[in-house]
Amino acid sequence: MKIETVTAKVFRHRTGIVRDSDGHGHPGAESQTTSALLTITANTGASGHILTRAPDVSDAVLGRFVRPNLTGEDPLCTERLWYKVYKWQRLSGGLLTDRTLAAIDLALWDLKGKLAGQPVWKLIGGYRNKIPAYASTMCGDDLPGGLATPEDYAAFAEWCVKTRGYRAMKLHGWMPPMPGAPDPRKDYAACAAVREAVGPDIPLMLDPHHFYSRTDALWLANKLAALDFRWMEEPMEEASISAYKWLTRSTTLNILGPETMTGKHWTRAEWVRHGACDLIRAGVWDVGGLTPALKVANMAESFHMACEIHGTGAGNLSLACAIPNTSFYERGLLHPFLDYDAPAPYQNRIDDEMDAEGFVHPRAGSGLGQDIDMDYVEANLV
Ligand code: MG
């Protein structure tokens, strides 16, 4: 069996999310945006797909780094193909990103699942057939009745837990340019209000401003420990392992990381080696795909550490259900003004449907478990 074609189709769709001046998403006026569908097809006619951002799979990147390495290769050899493409990163001048690597790896796994007639979450381990989700909020905002005050967070937490059935919740705090941000005291006020609203038994987590000082991060960590929070993630720039080592040793709160730090499974092994975190972070879109993310999870397990999966979507859900050492699937980002359960225009179903008890069930069909509306994509090509 051989890979014949690697193609990307960019298509238009509406979105109700707007970006602030620092790049954080919030509910806003509807506008038009684009996404891309990457397709890898074998000479048997079988295809693997993944939805991604258009720049990740530009024709320039596919033509220079991807097609020459994949065409004619056996699509089942995902490890070999990951290395073939990855080695081009070093001299790509930054053009070949981890997100491109992730898109290729995920499309190959989707293809492998379809060729095997099995869901990917089973092919890579199949540890569980359902997983509790945590409600992961958008960042704080200044929208009346949105996520503008600690009381807003508390009201939304009550809805998430008591009405929608979530069993855990993670707040993203207020980030610049929101009024008064960054301020660890304001983050703490929202966390305290949410703990009060949901009671003592719901696991809670915080993802605050990512550029606090050591002392602000430690103050916040100790306050969250008193609220029995499960973890805090990325309160400082992650390039400083020393700062995270200091923070992890200085507080009883669990510190989770690294999330955005580059370096794939190699960086995460260094964080464990240096004691820079209590819980390891990996998302398929952060570490270059499912292939390296599995290595992170297995490495963490060998040190009796949880690997908490970052981000949503079929790839991360497949990973979370495949491995034993994770607690939750991250479902979001959520906001009181948005209906997360409504499919995007290019989906027949969302990747991560959740039942009334707060569990997400990976799909039984072959591949990653995406249900893409191919007719919509074809009808809206750029
Ligand atoms: Mg995060």
Side-chain angles (χ1 to χ4, degrees):
M1 197 180 338
K2 286 180 178 156
I3 293 172
E4 256 183 13
T5 59
V6 180
T7 58
K9 289 178 175 172
V10 179
F11 60 95
R12 289 186 197 88
H13 60 93
R14 309 285 293 174
T15 179
I17 294 171
V18 294
R19 299 272 156 195
D20 65 30
S21 59
D22 273 29
H24 304 112
H26 307 281
E30 277 228 336
S31 63
Q32 199 157 77
T33 186
T34 58
S35 291
L37 177 69
L38 177 70
T39 300
I40 300 178
T41 303
N43 60 348
T44 61
S47 291
H49 304 285
I50 194 74
L51 288 164
T52 186
R53 301 171 190 167
D56 302 334
V57 288
S58 73
D59 211 55
V61 168
L62 294 185
R64 190 162 155 202
F65 306 114
V66 181
R67 290 188 190 109
N69 284 308
L70 296 194
T71 310
E73 291 279 348
D74 184 338
L76 296 177
C77 300
T78 42
E79 184 80 33
R80 166 183 163 77
L81 298 179
W82 189 87
Y83 267 95
K84 272 196 89 179
V85 180
Y86 150 73
K87 286 188 173 174
W88 278 82
Q89 268 193 309
R90 186 170 169 272
L91 295 177
S92 79
L95 292 175
L96 178 55
T97 65
D98 282 353
R99 280 193 59 96
T100 302
L101 266 185
I104 293 156
D105 188 65
L106 289 166
L108 283 170
W109 273 105
D110 189 49
L111 175 55
K112 194 191 278 202
K114 283 167 179 161
L115 289 166
Q118 294 293 331
V120 171
W121 67 273
K122 278 191 185 174
L123 287 181
I124 60 175
Y127 185 76
R128 71 192 96 206
N129 60 10
K130 65 176 186 176
I131 186 165
Y134 66 82
S136 187
T137 75
M138 285 187 155
C139 299
D141 53 46
D142 54 1
L143 304 167
L147 294 173
T149 65
E151 295 72 31
D152 287 342
Y153 275 94
F156 190 46
E158 217 171 315
W159 179 85
C160 287
V161 171
K162 293 177 186 166
T163 304
R164 187 60 184 90
Y166 282 101
R167 290 163 176 263
M169 183 159 184
K170 188 175 86 186
L171 296 77
H172 286 88
W174 288 280
M175 325 267 172
M178 291 304 141
D183 181 352
R185 289 162 303 178
K186 202 176 170 189
D187 291 335
Y188 171 68
C191 293
V194 168
R195 171 55 80 208
E196 175 77 25
V198 302
D201 299 329
I202 298 294
L204 294 175
M205 295 77 83
L206 176 68
D207 193 346
H209 176 58
H210 308 299
F211 306 97
Y212 279 136
S213 66
R214 282 189 186 199
T215 48
D216 280 347
L218 178 59
W219 180 88
L220 191 49
N222 288 338
K223 297 294 276 185
L224 295 185
L227 293 176
D228 195 25
F229 265 49
R230 178 70 68 97
W231 76 63
M232 177 168 70
E233 61 189 67
E234 208 176 352
M236 303 177 287
E237 159 65 51
E238 290 181 334
S240 174
I241 290 186
S242 298
Y244 275 90
K245 190 172 168 179
W246 177 88
L247 179 63
T248 298
R249 283 187 180 175
S250 303
T251 181
T252 58
L253 184 74
N254 292 326
I255 301 301
L256 171 71
E259 179 174 301
T260 53
M261 189 62 204
T262 57
K264 310 173 182 71
H265 46 296
W266 294 290
T267 301
R268 281 140 186 93
E270 291 298 327
W271 275 51
V272 175
R273 158 79 179 78
H274 288 279
C277 58
D278 301 292
L279 308 163
I280 273 285
R281 192 70 155 156
V284 295
W285 292 101
D286 305 313
V287 301
L290 201 44
T291 297
L294 264 174
K295 294 175 187 181
V296 178
N298 295 162
M299 179 273 294
E301 185 197 354
S302 311
F303 289 95
H304 301 309
M305 288 177 80
C307 177
E308 298 298 343
I309 308 304
H310 170 231
T312 55
N316 284 313
L317 180 60
S318 298
L319 176 62
C321 291
I323 61 172
N325 54 321
T326 199
S327 315
F328 305 106
Y329 169 74
E330 177 170 17
R331 198 164 187 266
L333 299 175
L334 309 181
H335 191 280
F337 298 169
L338 297 174
D339 179 7
Y340 184 82
D341 292 295
Y346 46 81
Q347 291 174 315
N348 296 315
R349 293 178 294 170
I350 62 172
D351 290 349
D352 49 0
E353 290 167 322
M354 188 180 83
D355 65 25
E357 279 74 50
F359 286 93
V360 176
H361 303 247
R363 297 221 160 98
S366 60
L368 282 175
Q370 308 166 98
D371 192 352
I372 303 164
D373 184 344
M374 296 297 182
D375 293 339
Y376 180 92
V377 172
E378 290 298 332
N380 290 277
L381 293 178
V382 171

